[in-house]
Amino acid sequence: METECAEVIVSIMRAEVDRVFHYAVPDELKPVLTPGHRVAVPFGGRNVEGCVVGFSKPSVDPSRIKAITAVLDDYPLLTPVMLELARWMKTKYYTTLAACLRCVAPSWTGSAKRAKTLFVCINGGAGFAEELSHVNEKGGPQALVMKLLSERGATALAPLLKELGISASPVHTLVKKGLVILEERSSAGVSRSDIAYEPGRSFSLTDEQAEAIETLLNTQSEKPGRMWLLHGVTGSGKTEIYMRLIEKALEAGKQAVMLVPEISLTPQAVDAFKQRFGAVVSVTHSRLTPAERVAEWQAAREGRVSVMIGPRSAVFTPFNNLGTIIIDEEHEKTYVSETSPKYAVIDVAEKLSKLTGAAVVLGSATPSVETFYRAKCEEIGLITLKKRVNNRFPDVETADLRTELAAGNRSIFSRRLLDAMDENLKRGHQTILFMNRRGHSTFVSCRTCGFVLECGHCSVNYTYHIQSQRMLCHYCGAAERPPSLCPVCESVHIRYFGVGTQKIEEEVRRLFPGCSVLRMDMDTTARKDGHESIIRRFATGQAQILVGTQMIAKGLNFPNVSLVGIVDADTALNTGDFRSAETAFQLITQVSGRAGRADVPGRVIIQTYNPEHYSVSFAKEGDYNSFYEHEIRVRKTLGYPPFGDIFMALMSCPDEKRLINTQNELARLMKAYNRKGFFEILGPAPAMVSKINNMYRWKILIKSSAVGEDILLHFAFYCVDKLKNRCDLDGVNLNLTLNPRILV
Ligand code: ADP
Ligand code: ZN
Ligand code: ZN
């Protein structure tokens, strides 16, 4: 009788090899090998890593079957639940099983030999800014590396080189210049810090909190695996509810996962959890090295930790008896993966809860319209917290910039905001000024002929940065000295327009000499620990005013902040995607929530040219429900989610003509296969940013309201497959996204 063979998925991310391969199991491995085990197998003349997904009798000639070389771990890497989840993701997100296995298990490395990981990170120090501006001025690979590092922080070297398509030599030159360092990382976890945090005291719960917890716990015993929306205004004490739920899970011998947007993973928050639960808490984040990630992951797998806090990937923590999944700030866009598999973590959590019976709690002061719609339809439960724990709401006002202009005030600050800042300084309170654009001036233009200076590689305006005195392209990192003469009409009247965070910082210093100002944006946080050090300095009162981008909008809790100024609420309204009203409402509400967190009453001033816009006016009133009612009608009228779906096929290519031909062919196929007329096919058309880094960008949108997202995805991928059969797509980048967060 022939024996069963192991079904192995090899860790190669290509569709052609995304199937089960059979391998014989050597006798000595038979007693230990189970599905989920990582193994080394011979494949195409070399040894590769694979994952056992099952056992069966192969249909091919047994003599042609090769044997497993080795089992790589003492226990199966993947739990049966995670294997099942990976299978589900493959179908749901139209990708390979290998890609899904890699997503659910971090140590699935793609090679049986595990190399040491070299990281490159920004160095900083004296002369940094000047050296950086030289590099940016010259452009090229070195500038690209710096741009990428400033966005992502420390990054593994090998994938970085691959992504940018460059050799290691520019990086070594940057090391010589002192701009970056190479290091092998080892210490795990977010470092503890000396920031003052609320000690691990147990509060007596507010009535709303107590009721919420009771509801959650009762249904969990009656109806396991239910999903809940916890809609609680900022400062309503949602964190305490999360903690109690986690406590209950632990008492029942279960484990908990708490997802937080990366940006709010502050040492403040982490310390509070460590205080409460001690060593069973583990924290993961995107700056961990692969080795650190594996260590965290193994600790969970082996039962040494029971609470995992982290960004979206923490949902894949392989606990054996998961009791609770919490997704804080559920509306955040970082909860949707931008790389394949493009999963939405809420969907993954929902599937996990079906597989394990774990309760899922989505928390937010400003739930996404889609989630709130599900709660309204009673697809998921809804719990509302209307009161702030301290029972104080900030006093929110708008300052109409049209009136200011009419009164001859052309400065950045309205009279109202200026007076409030002045008063606040005198009282010794702190102020936060929010502006969602970095840099100094957002465009550089000729006053005589109106010419606006653009990046030569992208269809994007340059932003002027004052420290380096350079115009920077925020897309490709190109930098240039501003010209002294207009390149078109040779006029000398080159001027700087539009306000960024640097300009605000400059204005504050000018208006309030002697006042200490901190700025928090991508430019000041690029260096290691920049983020944390600014938070620490502000929290310990070393500055009176903090100017920042959306980095300061969330999660931070500064008791002494009693004034928040939203310098330009309108930037958020003009992002050009169907969620812009929602995003603006969320951002204004979140930023306002930074005011008056403790005993000091808070005041918020929203500067805008559109005080009547429903995002602004309902955010001002703190009225989520009215905002939602308005927005859901808009979505219904336009057939946008949750009433319909949009699929975007974005392509980029250095050859514009070839790009357009390819897009035309795809649109033709889509129209031809759209026999039942379920779909509306829009385009091809140039993307909003029609060129980045010398790559032209075009898009096709498919709208559907008649059928659900699964059928839409099936249709779209079917057409793309047909396109692949007909056209050579070599050199054409394809980016396929369902309900994109931004309509690029
Ligand atoms: P949210 O996440 O809803 O914005 P937080 O969880 O940050 O609100 O709570 C706001 C503040 O109230 C925190 O400083 C927290 O320590 C405090 N807090 C929460 N619950 C209570 C309570 N029952 N009694 C007193 N203070 C509380
Ligand atoms: Zn000119
Ligand atoms: Zn550019």
Side-chain angles (χ1 to χ4, degrees):
M1 192 191 85
E2 15 170 346
T3 47
E4 289 208 319
C5 283
E7 300 172 342
V8 174
I9 299 288
V10 293
S11 174
I12 295 172
M13 309 295 152
R14 281 207 310 268
E16 315 84 271
V17 295
D18 193 52
R19 61 175 180 85
V20 160
F21 290 91
H22 282 99
Y23 286 91
V25 185
D27 283 344
E28 71 276 16
L29 295 180
K30 277 190 180 136
V32 295
L33 204 66
T34 60
H37 254 115
R38 220 159 47 99
V39 290
V41 291
F43 191 86
R46 64 198 174 105
N47 238 358
V48 301
E49 190 178 308
C51 182
V52 177
V53 295
F55 295 93
S56 62
K57 283 179 186 157
S59 50
V60 288
D61 173 7
S63 67
R64 289 181 49 206
I65 298 228
K66 295 185 188 119
I68 288 173
T69 324
V71 177
L72 299 177
D73 308 281
D74 298 340
Y75 51 82
L77 180 83
L78 288 160
T79 59
V81 166
M82 287 299 154
L83 259 183
E84 188 55 41
L85 191 67
R87 285 202 179 95
W88 171 82
M89 285 172 75
K90 172 191 154 68
T91 323
K92 169 95 185 165
Y93 300 112
Y94 288 86
T95 180
T96 62
L97 189 54
C100 296
L101 290 172
R102 170 185 236 168
C103 185
V104 303
S107 57
W108 173 267
T109 56
S111 142
K113 199 171 103 257
R114 213 165 304 166
K116 284 184 183 167
T117 314
L118 206 55
F119 267 64
V120 45
C121 50
I122 290 186
N123 187 20
F128 175 85
E130 194 169 327
E131 199 59 64
L132 178 64
S133 69
H134 292 318
V135 164
N136 280 335
E137 203 170 344
K138 275 176 60 193
Q142 293 180 30
L144 281 181
V145 172
M146 295 309 292
K147 162 94 187 335
L148 204 121
L149 290 181
S150 74
E151 283 169 8
R152 296 191 195 159
T155 306
L157 179 64
L160 175 115
L161 299 179
K162 203 167 161 211
E163 181 175 340
L164 295 176
I166 59 174
S167 75
S169 93
V171 176
H172 289 297
T173 313
L174 290 169
V175 173
K176 284 200 201 105
K177 290 181 178 167
L179 286 170
V180 301
I181 42 179
L182 288 171
E183 61 181 27
E184 270 170 23
R185 296 222 163 160
S186 58
S187 74
V190 172
S191 59
R192 287 180 78 87
S193 74
D194 52 0
I195 293 181
Y197 52 84
E198 299 264 348
R201 68 185 149 109
S202 258
F203 308 109
S204 58
L205 296 173
T206 64
D207 291 348
E208 283 190 335
Q209 282 173 325
E211 211 175 299
I213 290 166
E214 204 183 289
T215 311
L216 288 168
L217 294 179
N218 285 347
T219 41
Q220 179 59 7
S221 46
E222 289 156 18
K223 242 193 191 178
R226 184 143 166 79
M227 184 144 105
W228 289 90
L229 169 62
L230 176 62
H231 176 210
V233 297
T234 53
S236 57
K238 294 187 287 295
T239 315
E240 186 60 29
I241 297 178
Y242 303 154
M243 285 189 171
R244 299 278 170 126
L245 292 177
I246 293 173
E247 214 165 69
K248 287 289 171 200
L250 296 183
E251 275 171 27
K254 298 189 171 195
Q255 301 93 31
V257 165
M258 181 165 107
L259 306 181
V260 293
E262 180 85 24
I263 210 93
S264 65
L265 201 63
T266 59
Q268 271 176 308
V270 170
D271 280 349
F273 276 84
K274 293 217 158 154
Q275 281 268 325
R276 185 77 153 252
F277 300 108
V280 300
V281 176
S282 184
V283 179
T284 163
H285 55 82
S286 65
R287 295 176 302 285
L288 291 185
T289 64
E292 287 166 352
R293 201 175 288 273
V294 172
E296 296 279 354
W297 197 88
Q298 279 170 338
R301 183 79 176 89
E302 289 162 17
R304 283 179 281 125
V305 303
S306 312
V307 181
M308 183 64 82
I309 305 178
R312 63 169 184 257
S313 59
V315 79
F316 301 114
T317 307
F319 285 132
N320 64 15
N321 192 5
L322 187 63
T324 303
I325 305 172
I326 292 158
I327 306 182
D328 190 29
E329 309 281 7
E330 66 83 29
H331 60 277
E332 281 292 320
K333 67 169 190 235
T334 55
Y335 284 136
V336 180
S337 166
E338 281 174 2
T339 52
S340 181
K342 292 188 174 181
Y343 66 91
V345 85
I346 295 179
D347 295 342
V348 173
E350 197 168 17
K351 178 68 188 175
L352 253 184
S353 88
K354 287 202 181 100
L355 293 172
T356 63
V360 182
V361 176
L362 312 176
S364 178
T366 52
S368 76
V369 168
E370 284 109 309
T371 301
F372 202 71
Y373 179 76
R374 293 187 68 189
K376 284 273 187 178
C377 299
E378 295 179 22
E379 249 180 73
I380 62 175
L382 175 64
I383 292 172
T384 313
L385 306 174
K386 294 200 175 80
K387 296 192 190 125
R388 273 194 169 189
V389 172
N390 67 6
N391 242 321
R392 282 216 185 97
F393 280 95
D395 180 14
V396 188
E397 318 148 44
T398 44
D400 188 337
L401 294 176
R402 293 168 307 191
T403 324
E404 293 297 310
L405 212 54
N409 178 10
R410 296 178 154 270
S411 78
I412 298 174
F413 301 120
S414 59
R415 290 160 295 175
R416 182 177 289 195
L417 181 54
L418 199 63
D419 290 346
M421 282 162 68
D422 191 38
E423 200 177 300
N424 216 37
L425 276 173
K426 287 186 182 132
R427 284 191 303 181
H429 292 172
Q430 289 176 301
T431 300
I432 285 179
L433 295 175
F434 172 78
M435 176 67 191
N436 211 9
R437 279 190 306 219
R438 69 192 177 100
H440 182 270
S441 306
T442 51
F443 63 103
V444 182
S445 145
C446 166
R447 266 223 113 130
T448 309
C449 74
F451 179 73
V452 176
L453 283 129
E454 268 197 9
C455 172
H457 313 285
C458 311
S459 59
V460 171
N461 293 345
Y462 271 131
T463 302
Y464 182 64
H465 284 242
I466 192 119
Q467 263 87 3
S468 57
Q469 302 193 358
R470 294 289 186 281
M471 304 184 300
L472 274 190
C473 170
H474 284 183
Y475 283 80
C476 75
E480 272 187 74
R481 225 178 261 280
S484 46
L485 293 182
C486 169
V488 176
C489 74
E490 303 199 330
S491 147
V492 292
H493 300 292
I494 301 289
R495 294 288 181 271
Y496 302 93
F497 300 93
V499 177
T501 45
Q502 293 178 350
K503 178 81 158 274
I504 294 174
E505 183 189 1
E506 185 181 270
E507 273 296 285
V508 172
R509 287 187 199 284
R510 190 177 68 79
L511 293 163
F512 303 103
C515 145
S516 156
V517 191
L518 285 169
R519 175 163 55 88
M520 187 152 135
D521 55 28
M522 230 164 75
D523 299 305
T524 58
T525 53
R527 292 173 214 185
K528 238 172 114 183
D529 300 332
H531 188 258
E532 213 182 288
S533 118
I534 294 170
I535 294 175
R536 181 184 301 124
R537 279 152 66 198
F538 195 59
T540 52
Q542 293 175 52
Q544 284 89 51
I545 296 183
L546 173 65
V547 178
T549 55
Q550 62 192 356
M551 285 183 184
I552 63 172
K554 290 149 214 146
L556 300 174
N557 200 347
F558 302 112
N560 201 31
V561 170
S562 59
L563 174 65
V564 167
I566 299 176
V567 180
D568 180 4
D570 304 336
T571 38
L573 290 174
N574 302 321
T575 54
D577 74 305
F578 68 88
R579 287 191 180 86
S580 63
E582 177 182 347
T583 315
F585 179 86
Q586 285 163 347
L587 209 51
I588 297 170
T589 309
Q590 299 286 345
V591 179
S592 305
R594 299 310 112 215
R597 300 279 290 183
D599 301 329
V600 195
R603 184 174 175 194
V604 179
I605 296 174
I606 305 170
Q607 302 199 133
T608 174
Y609 284 98
N610 304 290
E612 310 82 13
H613 190 285
Y614 66 101
S615 292
V616 178
S617 61
F618 290 131
K620 173 176 170 253
E621 302 298 328
D623 188 351
Y624 177 85
N625 287 295
S626 300
F627 167 77
Y628 169 82
E629 292 303 339
H630 190 122
E631 178 65 12
I632 202 79
R633 282 200 305 272
V634 175
R635 299 278 181 96
K636 189 160 196 175
T637 310
L638 299 176
Y640 285 144
F643 302 101
D645 294 287
I646 296 171
F647 182 90
M648 180 181 70
L650 175 76
M651 288 185 202
S652 60
C653 174
D655 178 348
E656 193 172 22
K657 202 162 171 206
R658 186 166 159 229
L659 176 66
I660 295 172
N661 287 340
T662 317
Q663 283 260 306
N664 279 334
E665 181 61 15
L666 179 58
R668 194 189 63 75
L669 286 166
M670 286 173 169
K671 282 169 189 160
Y673 287 113
N674 184 22
R675 284 192 198 103
K676 293 191 178 141
F678 283 161
F679 308 104
E680 190 184 340
I681 291 140
L682 307 166
M688 210 155 68
V689 180
S690 59
K691 188 173 80 170
I692 295 180
N693 233 335
N694 298 318
M695 298 279 272
Y696 292 91
R697 310 167 83 239
W698 281 64
K699 67 181 180 195
I700 298 170
L701 298 179
I702 311 177
K703 269 177 84 173
S704 90
S705 46
V707 293
E709 64 176 45
D710 288 343
I711 293 175
L712 169 60
L713 280 173
H714 188 87
F715 172 76
F717 280 94
Y718 182 80
C719 295
V720 169
D721 276 345
K722 292 282 171 211
L723 179 74
K724 283 179 181 163
N725 293 341
R726 300 174 68 95
C727 292
D728 172 19
L729 292 185
D730 219 32
V732 179
N733 288 324
L734 206 61
N735 188 335
L736 308 170
T737 316
L738 179 71
N739 294 326
R741 305 300 302 193
I742 291 179
L743 288 182
V744 278

